[in-house]
Amino acid sequence: NAGVMQNPRHLVRRRGQEARLRCSPMKGHSHVYWYRQLPEEGLKFMVYLQKENIIDESGMPKERFSAEFPKEGPSILRIQQVVRGDSAAYFCASSPASSGQETQYFGPGTRLLVL
Amino acid sequence: DQQVKQNSPSLSVQEGRISILNCDYTNSMFDYFLWYKKYPAEGPTFLISISSIKDKNEDGRFTVFLNKSAKHLSLHIVPSQPGDSAVYFCAAIKTGANNLFFGTGTRLTVIP
């Protein structure tokens, strides 16, 4: 049973470009969470999605950031017009529908570097 | 607003001795606590958890203690092994909420 998969593992963008981060949850998991870890900080919640629905986006910046989890395919975190402050590690986690949200399994992360 | 705090950024312990990692929280609504272990370039891996109805949970070499009145929890690893060297994150959640709140992590180094 493959774990949570994220790609790319590393992404380099210039200021003003778009970044697309993909997350495939564990098999059988229908809940996806995105977290961001800035240097020297802990992980901070961004958004919680179920298939085709955004349930909680209270941690998402109001502009430039969006997330989706389509019926088919991976969850996508999209950052438009990236700035240097977006440089961070972005982690996706998933959980099965039958569990509480506390049972989250993390992917290896995507490290975004904005030049 | 850091609701979960790990005040020790690093800890070094001799192999075979006990490692004690500490965590404090401020939100009394949290009722479930977790410890994650993280190696470089990998995602956090779930280690052990505890519900607020308990004050201790043990799993092999790992034990988590919860002191609700002090809003404090700790992770004990005994005996410590070199493979335990990693960054340990404490996390907390209110059951039914969507997001985990993480501490800033403690880097444990176990010296052979």
Side-chain angles (χ1 to χ4, degrees):
Chain A
N1 186 11
V4 178
M5 300 179 70
Q6 290 187 250
N7 68 82
R9 295 291 304 273
H10 298 273
L11 184 61
V12 180
R13 286 287 178 267
R14 296 194 181 279
R15 281 179 296 168
Q17 292 184 320
E18 178 181 286
R20 278 183 182 245
L21 290 64
R22 286 176 289 278
C23 168
S24 297
M26 286 179 70
K27 188 176 180 181
H29 287 194
S30 58
H31 297 204
V32 165
Y33 313 79
W34 285 93
Y35 290 81
R36 176 167 66 174
Q37 184 185 21
L38 295 170
E40 307 303 321
E41 294 188 13
L43 283 72
K44 290 200 164 47
F45 169 78
M46 298 181 76
V47 62
Y48 161 47
L49 309 101
Q50 296 178 18
K51 282 285 186 183
E52 299 185 279
N53 284 304
I54 297 174
I55 307 302
D56 181 351
E57 55 182 348
S58 58
M60 286 277 270
K62 294 289 184 279
E63 297 176 348
R64 304 188 296 108
F65 284 73
S66 62
E68 62 177 10
F69 189 16
K71 188 177 179 181
E72 302 290 338
S75 175
I76 306 285
L77 179 68
R78 182 179 175 210
I79 312 172
Q80 295 178 289
Q81 298 175 312
V82 295
V83 301
R84 288 215 174 103
D86 296 332
S87 297
Y90 292 82
F91 292 96
C92 166
S94 71
S95 68
S98 58
S99 82
Q101 278 85 325
E102 61 271 11
T103 315
Q104 299 180 21
Y105 299 86
F106 283 83
T110 294
R111 277 138 192 90
L112 172 65
L113 176 62
V114 179
L115 300 178
Chain B
D1 179 25
Q2 192 69 28
Q3 299 187 47
V4 178
K5 298 177 185 177
Q6 293 175 257
N7 293 319
S8 297
S10 63
L11 174 68
S12 290
V13 170
Q14 207 72 33
E15 181 179 4
R17 307 293 288 268
I18 185 169
S19 295
I20 300 177
L21 294 94
N22 294 304
C23 177
D24 298 289
Y25 61 97
T26 58
N27 189 340
S28 57
M29 301 296 287
F30 291 144
D31 58 3
Y32 196 79
F33 305 89
L34 308 90
W35 284 94
Y36 283 84
K37 177 180 179 180
K38 186 181 179 302
Y39 293 116
E42 294 185 13
T45 302
F46 170 75
L47 197 56
I48 192 169
S49 62
I50 188 166
S51 164
S52 61
I53 63 173
K54 297 178 137 185
D55 54 20
K56 177 183 173 182
N57 188 26
E58 191 172 350
D59 183 2
R61 297 185 297 112
F62 302 91
T63 304
V64 56
F65 295 91
L66 175 63
N67 182 334
K68 288 188 291 295
S69 60
K71 295 193 181 69
H72 176 84
L73 62 156
S74 60
L75 174 68
H76 292 211
I77 308 172
V78 56
S80 301
Q81 299 173 355
D84 296 330
S85 297
V87 177
Y88 289 79
F89 289 97
C90 169
I93 191 169
K94 175 182 179 304
T95 302
N98 301 318
N99 53 306
L100 292 166
F101 286 84
F102 282 84
T104 51
T106 296
R107 182 179 303 279
L108 173 66
T109 302
V110 179
I111 304 163

